[in-house]
Every structure is written in structure tokens, then in C-alpha cells.
Amino acid sequence: MSALSDLILWIWLVFWVYWLVSATRSKKNIRSTRFNKAWSFRFVIILMVVFFFPSFYKDYQVTNNELLIVIGFCLFLLGLALSMWARLHIGRNWGMPMTKKEHPQLVTSGPYKFIRHPIYSGLLLAFLGSGLAGNTFWLTFLAFSLIYFIYSAKIEEKNMTSEFGKTYLDYKDKTKMLIPFVL
């Protein structure tokens, strides 16, 4: 399944290029944390290692079960689709985790109608799918990302409550953080 691992890698590359290009259309940041800037730098380093030095993890496949591999690939594509749908819906209000935007708007439509952080949810699902269809590196990345995304979501929710008050608290009561109807 090396060809599928390579395909996943290339799809991830195209996805991140799209992500970086679309970030140029976001509203101006009015606040960003040092932690956010440090994590962004580490994330770029991790991506460079993944794309330019795959030999250190490429041979560690999670399963040889073809059905699980196909399910993993479908989860990977579904996760990326969810992230992109959420990114399109949030529009210019999108920003790096834990940043505050100039003139923010509370987006509660599209995937945000069901999940407060659908970009995080989509990326986590894509990492899980990459792990099942590809190799163990992605599952390690999933574990670290889950911790980071939950931390980021909690900080962002404090910011949103401060910015939008009762409107955000009402929205929060109607939706789940990462997994619809569950969490």
C-alpha cells in the first residue's frame, strides 16, 4: 500500500498549499499568542519532515486489512472535505488557532450549525484516516493534534464568550465542540 501512502501525502500537500493560500484572504489579526506562533513554526517543521524525509516512518503500516485501509482513506477524504467546507463557511473570519480577528462575526451556519470547531474535527478525522490507510506517523500526529486542538478550542471559546456573550453561550448550548451529538 505504499502507493496509497504516497497518494495521501500528495493530497495533504495540495490541501496545505490551498490552506496557506486561502489564509491570505483572512481578516487582520488583532491578537496572537506566543504559543500560537511557536506551534505554527513547529507545525511547518513537522510538515517538512513528513514531505521530505518519509523514509523514517513510511514502512510502519497500521493494518494490512484492505477493508480498514479503504475505510481509512474514506475517513481521510471526509475529514479534509469537512475542514474545507468549514473554512469556506467561516470565510475571512478564519485565523490561526487562538488568534483574535478584527471585527469578528459569529458563524453558526454550515458545519458550524452542528460542531463549534469543525475545522479541528475535520483535521482530526483526516489524521485518523491517514493513519488507518497509510502509516503510524499519522496516528502519532493525531494524538498530539487532539491535545492541541482541545486546548485551542477552550481558549477560543473563552474569547468567543467574551466577544459575543449570551449569543455565544446559547450557541454553545446547542452544539458540541468536536463530534456532533457526542463531544
Side-chain angles (χ1 to χ4, degrees):
M1 279 293 157
S2 178
L4 187 58
S5 290
D6 291 344
L7 177 61
I8 288 170
L9 210 51
W10 282 105
I11 293 172
W12 271 116
L13 180 61
V14 169
F15 174 81
W16 288 117
V17 167
Y18 155 76
W19 209 254
L20 291 172
V21 168
S22 64
T24 62
R25 293 183 225 121
S26 295
K27 290 179 182 177
K28 182 180 174 188
N29 288 342
I30 58 172
R31 191 189 77 191
S32 184
T33 64
R34 270 190 278 156
F35 179 79
N36 182 19
K37 291 174 185 173
W39 174 253
S40 298
F41 178 72
R42 289 181 186 115
F43 188 71
V44 168
I45 297 297
I46 290 167
L47 285 176
M48 287 173 55
V49 168
V50 169
F51 289 109
F52 297 112
F53 304 105
S55 60
F56 80 94
Y57 66 84
K58 206 168 190 176
D59 295 331
Y60 300 103
Q61 229 175 313
V62 173
T63 182
N64 288 323
N65 182 316
E66 289 185 24
L67 179 61
L68 278 179
I69 290 169
V70 169
I71 289 171
F73 189 70
C74 290
L75 290 175
F76 161 66
L77 294 176
L78 185 65
L80 289 185
L82 175 59
S83 291
M84 290 171 65
W85 181 33
R87 179 72 179 266
L88 289 171
H89 245 273
I90 201 167
R92 295 189 64 227
N93 290 294
W94 177 85
M96 288 296 292
M98 299 176 285
T99 57
K100 285 184 109 177
K101 291 293 182 183
E102 200 171 56
H103 311 294
Q105 296 172 319
L106 180 59
V107 177
T108 60
S109 58
Y112 292 91
K113 187 174 185 174
F114 308 101
I115 316 168
R116 293 191 303 274
H117 303 279
I119 292 174
Y120 295 164
S121 299
L123 290 174
L124 291 170
L125 187 60
F127 294 145
L128 174 63
S130 296
L132 287 174
N135 54 62
T136 56
F137 166 80
W138 296 107
L139 297 181
T140 304
F141 202 67
L142 169 68
F144 287 112
S145 297
L146 179 63
I147 294 165
Y148 175 70
F149 287 160
I150 288 173
Y151 173 77
S152 296
K154 295 222 181 253
I155 299 293
E156 289 169 8
E157 290 187 355
K158 285 180 187 173
N159 293 340
M160 298 293 274
T161 301
S162 167
E163 184 75 34
F164 298 106
K166 183 168 172 19
T167 304
Y168 186 75
L169 292 174
D170 290 344
Y171 167 67
K172 191 175 173 183
D173 286 341
K174 296 175 190 171
T175 57
K176 296 297 183 182
M177 183 187 285
L178 294 170
I179 304 169
F181 314 111
V182 180
L183 170 70

